Amino acid sequence: MKHVSILIPHDSVMASIVDPRIIFTGVNEFLASVGKQPAFKVQLVGLTKEVQLHNGTFTVHADALISDVKKTDLILVPAIGGDLKGAIKKNEAFLPWIVDQYHQGAEVASLCIGAFLLASTGLLNGKECSSHWLTANEFREMFPEVTLVDGRIVTEQQGIYSSGGASSYWNLLLHLIEKHAGREMAIMAAKVYALEIDRKTQSPFIMFNGQKKHEDEPIKQAQEFIESNVAERISVEELAIKYAIGKRHFIRRFKKATNNTPIEYIQRVKIEAAKKQLENSRKNVNEVMYDVGYSDVKAFRTVFKKITGLSPIEYRNKYNKEAVEV
């Protein structure tokens, strides 16, 4: 039987504590219904016996304190919210315990923005990580030693797991159930809780918001120029000349400041504009394509699918209410 420790951090999102408990204990119930032994011993583990969440609206009662848990097999780090630096500070007593348990052989999994707490342990340094796309820029700023992977639902390296944003963590939970209780139990859980078992990406949900928390003013001006001229065909050469920077140096500075190359940034700005039109207008794909500065249908579709994981038509059908009604 695997010992599962679900942490109860201060300033955490309660659903990301409750949901793991529901699904792991649910698997135990499925096994019991067919005469099998439970696969998991599930405990809520805190720094104090009671933790108030959501401005005191809810109180979560810990089954154990970290000092009580000498050895565990799997640690789940729920999402935190609000002031992330402040939340990390409030929960810093968890960090050495997590590190110690990992070195004793425990696996560690962060759910959504719980990646900030996991990264604070240092265990993610030099590794890849998934998290919510909404806080991606802040994560990269706080943890430059960690490679944040855009779009990926589940990332796994050396016994450390992380999930994408919001409800994406259900896919990580299913992955862990499959690993420790078998594919059959994972499929059962997916059916009972109405989950898509093998979803791999959160790309269709990502809203691009360029990183501007940097001090490179010419690069910031270039970003604003790109965003204000979505319909134009802008080249890297044009931008380098406009801001009086050599092309190769411009590319290096742009990448360092924004975490995107100039070409990637131009593409993401154009595709974000295209997504909004496909969501909210009656325009067909070709009209939208021209509006965001593309003239080659194949190139537009290729870039759109690379960034969102869907074709323009699939995206429109999924997110445009009028298209769905038709």
Side-chain angles (χ1 to χ4, degrees):
M1 185 187 301
K2 295 289 183 181
H3 186 278
V4 179
S5 297
I6 303 171
L7 304 187
I8 317 172
H10 297 286
D11 293 347
S12 55
V13 178
M14 196 173 76
S16 63
I17 298 170
V18 174
D19 291 343
R21 186 180 184 282
I22 286 173
I23 199 168
F24 279 100
T25 57
V27 167
N28 284 343
E29 291 171 7
F30 304 154
L31 290 167
S33 69
V34 293
K36 294 184 178 180
Q37 294 298 310
F40 306 107
K41 178 182 179 181
V42 182
Q43 284 191 308
L44 301 182
V45 179
L47 300 175
T48 57
K49 275 294 185 181
E50 293 185 349
V51 181
Q52 291 191 341
L53 300 176
H54 302 281
N55 297 317
T57 304
F58 303 103
T59 301
V60 181
H61 300 271
D63 298 313
L65 303 179
I66 55 171
S67 57
D68 301 324
V69 182
K70 306 303 181 186
K71 181 77 170 69
T72 190
D73 298 303
L74 174 61
I75 300 168
L76 296 176
V77 184
I80 53 176
D83 173 9
L84 296 175
K85 290 182 179 178
I88 291 167
K89 182 71 175 174
K90 290 179 185 178
N91 292 292
E92 61 185 2
F94 277 120
L95 306 182
W97 181 83
I98 294 170
V99 172
D100 180 60
Q101 291 296 325
Y102 177 72
H103 289 315
Q104 288 189 57
E107 296 179 314
V108 187
S110 66
L111 309 182
C112 188
I113 302 176
F116 280 76
L117 198 55
L118 176 55
S120 298
T121 65
L123 293 174
L124 283 173
N125 289 356
K127 297 182 178 69
E128 293 183 340
C129 174
S130 295
S131 187
H132 201 301
W133 57 265
L134 191 62
T135 53
N137 291 337
E138 189 172 359
F139 185 93
R140 289 188 172 103
E141 184 181 342
M142 288 176 63
F143 305 106
E145 305 89 351
V146 183
T147 301
L148 187 64
V149 184
D150 290 320
R152 195 183 298 170
I153 291 288
V154 175
T155 298
E156 174 184 356
Q157 282 192 297
Q158 299 173 8
I160 299 177
Y161 305 81
S162 51
S163 77
S167 61
S168 297
Y169 64 64
W170 283 105
N171 294 88
L172 174 54
L173 298 175
L174 288 174
H175 178 73
L176 292 169
I177 286 167
E178 180 174 356
K179 178 174 182 180
H180 295 298
R183 178 74 174 178
E184 183 181 355
M185 283 297 105
I187 291 172
M188 173 69 81
K191 289 180 176 178
V192 170
Y193 300 109
L195 304 171
E196 186 180 341
I197 191 168
D198 288 321
R199 184 158 69 94
K200 302 297 184 186
T201 180
Q202 59 182 338
S203 294
F205 307 107
I206 294 175
M207 295 168 59
F208 181 67
N209 183 20
Q211 161 69 297
K212 293 194 178 75
K213 291 183 180 179
H214 59 79
E215 305 303 321
D216 196 329
E217 195 58 35
I219 298 304
K220 197 173 292 184
Q221 291 174 14
Q223 291 175 263
E224 291 168 355
F225 179 80
I226 292 167
E227 293 165 10
S228 300
N229 294 274
V230 172
E232 304 302 320
R233 299 185 68 179
I234 302 170
S235 68
V236 178
E237 290 81 2
E238 177 187 347
L239 291 170
I241 292 169
K242 182 176 179 66
Y243 297 100
I245 305 171
K247 180 182 173 182
R248 292 176 66 183
H249 189 45
F250 177 80
I251 292 171
R252 283 197 298 270
R253 279 173 61 176
F254 199 100
K255 173 74 172 176
K256 181 180 179 182
T258 70
N259 294 303
N260 294 111
T261 67
I263 291 295
E264 288 170 345
Y265 198 91
I266 291 167
Q267 289 176 341
R268 285 183 171 274
V269 168
K270 289 180 179 294
I271 297 307
E272 187 62 29
K275 284 164 59 181
K276 289 175 181 175
Q277 289 203 36
L278 291 169
E279 290 166 12
N280 301 308
S281 77
R282 290 176 172 267
K283 292 180 180 179
N284 63 39
V285 171
N286 282 359
E287 289 173 317
V288 171
M289 175 187 74
Y290 292 127
D291 283 351
V292 298
Y294 280 90
S295 57
D296 184 322
V297 175
K298 184 178 179 182
F300 175 67
R301 288 176 176 166
T302 299
V303 174
F304 194 98
K305 186 156 190 176
K306 176 185 175 184
I307 290 174
T308 70
L310 301 172
S311 72
I313 292 174
E314 288 170 336
Y315 189 90
R316 182 174 183 271
N317 289 341
K318 189 175 181 71
Y319 294 108
N320 187 299
K321 183 174 182 289
E322 292 181 355
V324 170
E325 289 176 347
V326 170

